[in-house]
Amino acid sequence: KIDDKSNNIKENFIFNGKSVSAICYNSDLKLFYFIRQFRPNYHYNNYSTYPLEIVAGGVKKNESSRQAAMREIEEELGVKPLYVKKLDSLIIAPDCLEEVTDIYFAKVPKITNFKIINLKEGENIKIIPLNKKEVLKLATSKKIQNIVTKYSLLKILELRI
C-alpha cells in the first residue's frame, strides 16, 4: 500500500521461506517424471483435484537447498538421484508470497513403483512418466497449472535432451 500523505510504502506479505522443485529425468528411457497428489485448494476451486506437478517441497532447518532437492526426490519418487544441478531460482508471487524456490534438474534411475505412500509427510503420490512430446503438449496447453510446474515444462523444452 502507498500512503499518499507520507510517501511511505507498506507491503503485506507472507514469508514461507525456501522451497525446492526438481525436474526429474531418466536418460535411458528418455522420460520425465511428474507426480499427482491431492490438493485441497484445487478441489475447492473446482479444478483437477490431483494436478500434475514436478517434485517439490520445503527446505528444512539446517538443510541446504541441494540436500532438500535430493531428499524430496527420494520421498516423492522413491529413488535416489544420480545427478542434481541447480537451474534457477524464482520468487513465487512477489508482495503476497515471498517464497523463493530453487529449480533443479535431476537425473534419476528407472522408476518401477509408480505409487508412493509417505505416511510421515501425509502424501499419497502417483508418479507420471512423460516423454518430451507429451511435455510439449502440456507446456502449450491452456490447462491451469501451478506456476512452478508450468515454468518447469517450458524449461524442459529448452533442455538439449
Side-chain angles (χ1 to χ4, degrees):
K1 297 178 187 177
I2 299 177
D3 180 344
D4 290 333
K5 293 180 183 177
S6 66
N7 290 327
N8 288 331
I9 298 173
K10 298 176 184 175
E11 292 189 47
N12 296 315
F13 65 90
I14 300 167
F15 183 71
N16 275 2
K18 288 200 53 102
S19 63
V20 294
S21 299
I23 298 168
C24 298
Y25 180 70
N26 179 280
S27 55
D28 294 333
L29 299 173
K30 298 189 182 331
L31 290 174
F32 294 91
Y33 292 110
F34 291 81
I35 63 169
R36 289 188 189 279
Q37 61 183 319
F38 178 73
R39 295 294 187 203
N41 189 36
Y42 281 68
H43 174 75
Y44 294 117
N45 287 294
N46 296 318
Y47 299 123
S48 170
T49 304
Y50 294 86
L52 188 76
E53 302 173 315
I54 65 170
V55 169
V59 177
K60 294 181 179 179
K61 189 175 179 178
N62 299 320
E63 181 179 53
S64 72
S65 173
R66 187 174 192 281
Q67 288 168 327
M70 293 170 55
R71 176 183 47 76
E72 287 294 337
I73 292 166
E74 194 166 351
E75 285 177 4
E76 296 187 2
L77 295 183
V79 297
K80 289 188 180 197
L82 306 170
Y83 167 87
V84 176
K85 178 184 177 186
K86 185 175 172 184
L87 297 177
D88 216 340
S89 294
L90 304 170
I91 294 177
I92 303 303
D95 195 36
C96 63
L97 182 64
E98 293 288 335
E99 181 174 317
V100 176
T101 190
D102 293 333
I103 311 288
Y104 286 85
F105 174 78
K107 288 187 180 178
V108 297
K110 178 182 177 180
I111 292 176
T112 56
N113 179 18
F114 292 91
K115 188 166 177 116
I116 301 291
I117 297 174
N118 183 340
L119 296 177
K120 183 180 173 188
E121 298 292 327
E123 296 173 322
N124 186 344
I125 296 170
K126 183 176 180 185
I127 299 168
I128 310 296
L130 298 176
N131 62 37
K132 198 163 183 181
K133 186 176 180 181
E134 292 166 317
V135 168
L136 172 62
K137 186 176 177 182
L138 276 172
T140 57
S141 81
K142 301 291 183 198
K143 189 174 181 179
I144 193 161
Q145 297 165 328
N146 77 55
I147 191 69
V148 176
T149 298
K150 182 69 168 194
Y151 175 85
S152 297
L153 289 165
L154 297 170
K155 197 74 173 166
I156 288 170
L157 301 181
E158 294 177 7
L159 298 174
R160 296 181 189 263
I161 296 177

